[in-house]
Amino acid sequence: MTAQTQAQDPDTGLAVEITGLTKSFGSLQVLRGIDLAVRPGEVVCIIGPSGSGKSTLLRCVNLLEEPNGGTVRVHGTELTHPDVDIDAARRQIGMVFQSFNLFAHLNVLNNLTVAQRKVLRRGQAEAEQVARANLAKVGLAEKAGAMPAQLSGGQQQRVAIARALSMDPKVMLFDEPTSALDPELVGDVLGVMRQLADEGMTMLVVTHEMQFARDVADRVLFMDGGVVVEEGPAAQVIGDPQHERTKSFLSRVLYPTHQGPSD
């Protein structure tokens, strides 16, 4: 059996399977044994206070951060296997960050085609066809020739989503994709994510947008201190949390104390 074959597990029917995941930065243990199974087409929202390990968990899924222990499997491929072809495995995973990470010197269309041509070896014509279809999906077909600096933050984030989709991922990871946006721009980005969920895209979303999580998530995970404190259907975790830490967090997020004079 070759090392690459060893990285291929029997098909469990799961899109993402995380077992015993740990991650430390020096003496700081950020993840303390995370277990998570995500079915194809499932939307899982991850909520919790800053520093709880949410973004680190997401970054461990595609090995942007290398775990210290445990396993990560995506559609049967163990990404944590020492001999896995990580570049090939990552092609199954799209990621959208807080910052848009667009190439400032390339127009929108070229931002969407460069990785297709270099990584997927698509020809220019095919790459442009895929790019234009995904720009239309996010409502920005007319912006193909624009430079990133000419776009609003919300438009740049939608371009970033279209760029990830152009690589034909099986799983999409969103790391607080609206946190850098002005409030009036958040809705357009969340609208695109709702559409992806409706189309059956498997999604792991780190978010502070509780209404989005309530409306769209099949399951919500509340993390604190590097562990999953509570998980379940959105209506249960957000609407009727059982753990005191979850209740405390949601009380601050959903009902922030109003300070200062009223308008």
Side-chain angles (χ1 to χ4, degrees):
M1 179 181 292
T2 66
Q4 181 60 37
T5 303
Q6 289 173 351
Q8 298 289 332
D9 295 307
D11 186 3
T12 61
L14 294 172
V16 179
E17 186 176 9
I18 298 169
T19 305
L21 190 68
T22 61
K23 176 62 181 177
S24 296
F25 296 99
S27 62
L28 177 64
Q29 189 169 6
V30 179
L31 299 178
R32 302 171 180 269
I34 302 292
D35 297 318
L36 175 62
V38 182
R39 301 183 302 275
E42 190 175 15
V43 178
V44 176
C45 283
I46 305 168
I47 65 173
S50 296
S52 59
K54 309 183 301 296
S55 293
T56 300
L57 171 60
L58 218 59
R59 292 171 66 86
C60 284
V61 172
N62 63 359
L63 262 64
L64 286 178
E65 297 289 354
E66 186 173 348
N68 296 112
T71 58
V72 176
R73 296 179 177 87
V74 176
H75 283 281
T77 299
E78 184 188 334
L79 275 70
T80 42
H81 192 283
D83 297 310
V84 71
D85 183 344
I86 188 61
D87 292 329
R90 280 187 179 135
R91 291 172 198 164
Q92 303 182 83
I93 308 168
M95 187 158 186
V96 178
F97 301 87
Q98 298 177 39
S99 54
F100 321 124
N101 292 344
L102 301 179
F103 295 113
H105 66 291
L106 298 179
N107 68 18
V108 166
L109 186 64
N110 287 334
N111 262 281
L112 269 65
T113 59
V114 63
Q116 292 187 66
R117 291 187 288 107
K118 291 186 176 182
V119 177
L120 300 183
R121 304 298 182 187
R122 285 177 177 158
Q124 183 69 29
E126 182 185 4
E128 288 192 5
Q129 181 180 19
V130 171
R132 291 184 187 279
N134 283 304
L135 285 174
K137 181 189 286 283
V138 302
L140 293 173
E142 77 286 358
K143 297 295 186 181
M147 301 301 288
Q150 297 173 305
L151 305 178
S152 70
Q155 289 172 331
Q156 290 188 59
Q157 192 62 294
R158 283 187 282 156
V159 169
I161 294 173
R163 180 175 61 180
L165 292 174
S166 293
M167 300 299 287
D168 299 330
K170 295 180 180 179
V171 176
M172 285 284 287
L173 310 178
F174 293 87
D175 187 8
E176 298 193 30
T178 61
S179 64
L181 303 180
D182 291 333
E184 66 268 22
L185 303 177
V186 169
D188 289 339
V189 173
L190 294 181
V192 170
M193 295 170 65
R194 289 173 191 267
Q195 178 185 345
L196 292 177
D198 289 342
E199 293 173 355
M201 175 62 75
T202 307
M203 297 163 57
L204 275 71
V205 184
V206 171
T207 186
H208 290 294
E209 301 288 344
M210 292 302 127
Q211 191 60 53
F212 173 84
R214 193 194 299 265
D215 293 345
V216 178
D218 297 296
R219 189 157 37 117
V220 171
L221 273 63
F222 171 70
M223 288 185 64
D224 194 15
V227 300
V228 176
V229 175
E230 187 167 351
E231 69 174 294
Q236 172 189 315
V237 175
I238 298 177
D240 186 25
Q242 301 302 300
H243 199 286
E244 288 302 321
R245 280 192 283 176
T246 317
K247 293 177 182 178
S248 175
F249 170 78
L250 288 170
S251 69
R252 295 193 302 271
V253 172
L254 297 174
Y255 311 107
T257 302
H258 180 76
Q259 298 181 348
S262 59
D263 294 332

